[in-house]
Amino acid sequence: MTYAAWFQCFRGCPGRFGLTEVIYRCPRCQGLLEVQHDHAALRSRSAAAWIRLFDERYGRTQWPFGSGVWSKLEWVLPQIDPGNVVSLFEGNSNLLWAERYGKAIGLDDLWVKQCGISHTGSFKDLGMTVLVSAVKQAIAEGRPIRAVACASTGDTSAALAAYGAAAGIPVIVLLPAGKISAAQLIQPVANGAIVCSLDTDFDGCMRVVQRLTEDPGIYLANSMNSLRVEGQKTVAVEIVQQFDWEVPDWVLIPGGNLGNVSALAKGFEMMLELGIIARLPRIVCCQAQRADPLYLAFARAQAEGRAMTEEDYAPLHAQSTLASAIQIGAPVSLPKAVRALQRCEGLVEEASEAELADAAALADRSGMFNCPHTGVALACLQKLARRGVIGRRERVIVISTAHGLKFTEFKARYHEGKLEFPSAHANQPVAMGSEPDEVVAALHRVLDARAS
């Protein structure tokens, strides 16, 4: 059976466009495009056969199926030449049972999908492997693409730079000056990207990159390019696969540019349509209070007792937040996210700076090492659990989007008490002398104090 996929207008305008064409918006209405698959062809293989195929490929070495993304190749880029796949063995990330943390906040079946345990330390690898592979194929087909470019708050630039370097494709990244961590900045520098530090915020960088990529020789790699969704949607498939093809009750994810919200929903919807699952989970988009345009739209609709629509949304100027990767006031993928939340009976919640920092620190006490964006999702989870919206025995997944090692400055400032609010779970080194007896006595005093 031959499988196929193409670009099509998100709003339903007629016309299909090849996945290696340089096109980002509908020529008729300027709306976002999305990747559509030939579902009739996909249904020619039974649900049981898809499950068997995906399980046989899981974590194996046969190229390119060992990747968590490319093990689902037919659902991602079915027409790709495997020789043009650019993979760094992304995906297959740990689904951690957060037992101790769950008990601390009143949940028995809490899991954290650790997407930050990936090649560049964030979930962005999942989408970038697909986009860069499509670009490599487009170049092989003769399209005159000179470079790939993105605006970024850090993680997108790291992923694009790594995959571009692996493919031998020049990369341009536009970063807001002084607004990303040192670890995030050095990644594209080390991978040889052209790194531009702009005197603006992320939304300003987006305006520049959209102007830059009006040149068809500079390919746009931001999340408005729906190729990335095809990779990120495999997180949903992977979660269900890791639960022996059972569906969780809730999935919570940090939301900035909102591409990942629609990606998760698309993955679950695809499994539902092909008979692999019988229901959809409820998705919660979690935003930082200082960059919360989707939450404000959701709250506006809730106050009037109706479902959220695109008309409820108004862009805003995002304020500085510890969750810098989601400091976005005009999210490009908002229309797709609104539709995704409508279909999944989704919710939107927000977290303050103190809430996100304390939630990340509390979860760290149970063995995790959370980025501030995951802290946003954890804080929103705690609020929904306290209100009884999420029940104690429901199966809950939190998507951890990046590795905490990329945000050590945030963690150091938290534990040193140097943030703008008190740190509820601060833990500072204990100064001691060098005499063994004195150190032993001091340690026993510390242990006694913690036990009391």
Side-chain angles (χ1 to χ4, degrees):
M1 174 59 65
T2 300
Y3 304 107
W6 55 88
F7 286 130
Q8 191 168 313
C9 178
F10 165 77
R11 302 194 188 282
C13 295
R16 294 182 178 184
F17 312 94
L19 297 185
T20 56
E21 290 188 50
V22 181
I23 184 169
Y24 316 113
R25 290 190 177 274
C26 172
R28 178 171 295 196
C29 73
Q30 293 302 301
L32 296 175
L33 299 174
E34 62 182 351
V35 176
Q36 288 284 353
H37 289 261
D38 183 347
H39 282 259
L42 292 172
R43 280 193 295 270
S44 67
R45 188 191 294 259
S46 70
W50 281 120
I51 289 172
R52 185 165 57 252
L53 178 66
F54 292 161
D55 282 344
E56 287 171 354
R57 290 174 173 173
Y58 190 84
R60 303 299 171 88
T61 56
Q62 182 184 358
W63 181 266
F65 301 128
S67 157
V69 172
W70 295 107
S71 63
K72 284 80 178 174
L73 183 148
E74 295 85 355
W75 291 23
V76 176
L77 280 186
Q79 293 125 306
I80 189 81
D81 177 347
N84 288 325
V85 169
V86 184
S87 175
L88 299 171
F89 206 75
E90 52 288 318
N92 297 330
S93 58
N94 183 28
L95 186 58
L96 172 74
W97 182 28
E99 181 184 15
R100 286 190 61 229
Y101 174 64
K103 286 181 178 177
I105 64 172
L107 297 174
D108 295 335
D109 202 3
L110 173 61
W111 302 75
V112 177
K113 180 64 170 165
Q114 296 188 305
C115 294
I117 302 177
S118 188
H119 183 73
T120 73
S122 91
F123 78 94
K124 299 295 178 74
D125 293 354
L126 304 172
M128 214 56 79
T129 181
V130 177
L131 184 140
V132 173
S133 297
V135 171
K136 186 177 178 182
Q137 177 135 335
I139 293 171
E141 292 174 359
R143 299 193 186 277
I145 297 172
R146 300 181 61 206
V148 185
C150 74
S152 177
T153 51
D155 289 335
T156 298
S157 66
L160 179 59
Y163 283 84
I169 300 171
V171 166
I172 301 167
V173 300
L174 309 179
L175 303 171
K179 294 182 173 67
I180 69 170
S181 73
Q184 289 173 302
L185 175 61
I186 200 61
Q187 287 183 285
V189 169
N191 285 135
I194 301 169
V195 179
C196 307
S197 182
L198 274 59
D199 185 19
T200 183
D201 58 10
F202 172 79
D203 295 315
C205 290
M206 270 301 302
R207 288 191 292 272
V208 174
V209 81
Q210 286 177 308
R211 173 66 181 84
L212 175 67
T213 53
E214 289 175 8
D215 175 352
I218 310 294
Y219 192 84
L220 179 65
N222 279 99
S223 59
M224 67 180 289
N225 187 322
S226 57
L227 285 170
R228 283 178 49 188
V229 168
E230 296 308 292
Q232 290 163 207
K233 77 183 182 188
T234 62
V235 174
V237 184
E238 204 168 283
I239 288 170
V240 174
Q241 185 175 17
Q242 288 171 311
F243 280 126
D244 294 326
W245 303 99
E246 293 184 0
V247 184
D249 298 302
W250 294 89
V251 180
L252 292 88
I253 185 163
N257 226 11
L258 303 179
N260 227 5
V261 175
S262 57
L264 278 173
K266 186 172 186 180
F268 286 117
E269 287 180 308
M270 203 161 180
M271 287 186 285
L272 182 68
E273 184 169 342
L274 296 177
I276 290 174
I277 61 176
R279 62 179 178 85
L280 298 174
R282 298 188 69 183
I283 292 177
V284 182
C285 177
C286 305
Q287 295 206 291
Q289 193 174 66
R290 293 181 175 177
D292 61 348
L294 186 64
Y295 172 78
L296 294 176
F298 180 79
R300 188 173 297 117
Q302 271 206 322
E304 297 177 8
R306 55 178 176 78
M308 175 176 57
T309 66
E310 282 184 57
E311 287 68 33
D312 292 309
Y313 157 74
L316 53 80
H317 178 70
Q319 303 300 308
S320 178
T321 171
L322 294 167
S324 56
I326 55 175
Q327 185 181 320
I328 298 170
V332 172
S333 296
L334 182 130
K336 292 182 179 180
V338 170
R339 184 183 68 176
L341 292 170
Q342 289 170 342
R343 292 179 176 179
C344 293
E345 296 184 67
L347 306 176
V348 188
E349 187 53 84
E350 66 173 2
S352 70
E353 298 298 289
E355 288 170 339
L356 74 87
D358 284 337
L362 178 62
D364 285 354
R365 289 292 186 96
S366 67
M368 289 183 265
F369 198 65
N370 293 289
C371 69
H373 320 96
T374 302
V376 172
L378 295 171
C380 292
L381 170 65
Q382 291 178 195
K383 295 167 88 167
L384 293 171
R386 279 197 302 269
R387 298 205 300 261
V389 176
I390 294 178
R392 183 178 194 101
R393 292 177 177 79
E394 291 185 289
R395 175 164 286 174
V396 182
I397 314 295
V398 172
I399 306 297
S400 178
T401 54
H403 202 296
L405 284 171
K406 301 177 83 168
F407 301 93
T408 52
E409 300 102 319
F410 152 69
K411 290 186 173 295
R413 288 167 59 209
Y414 178 89
H415 288 288
E416 291 166 359
K418 293 182 179 178
L419 296 176
E420 61 190 85
F421 47 82
S423 301
H425 306 291
N427 182 32
Q428 296 185 18
V430 181
M432 299 182 185
S434 60
E435 285 296 318
D437 288 345
E438 292 178 9
V439 173
V440 169
L443 281 170
H444 280 290
R445 288 194 295 272
V446 171
L447 288 171
D448 290 341
R450 290 198 173 191
S452 61

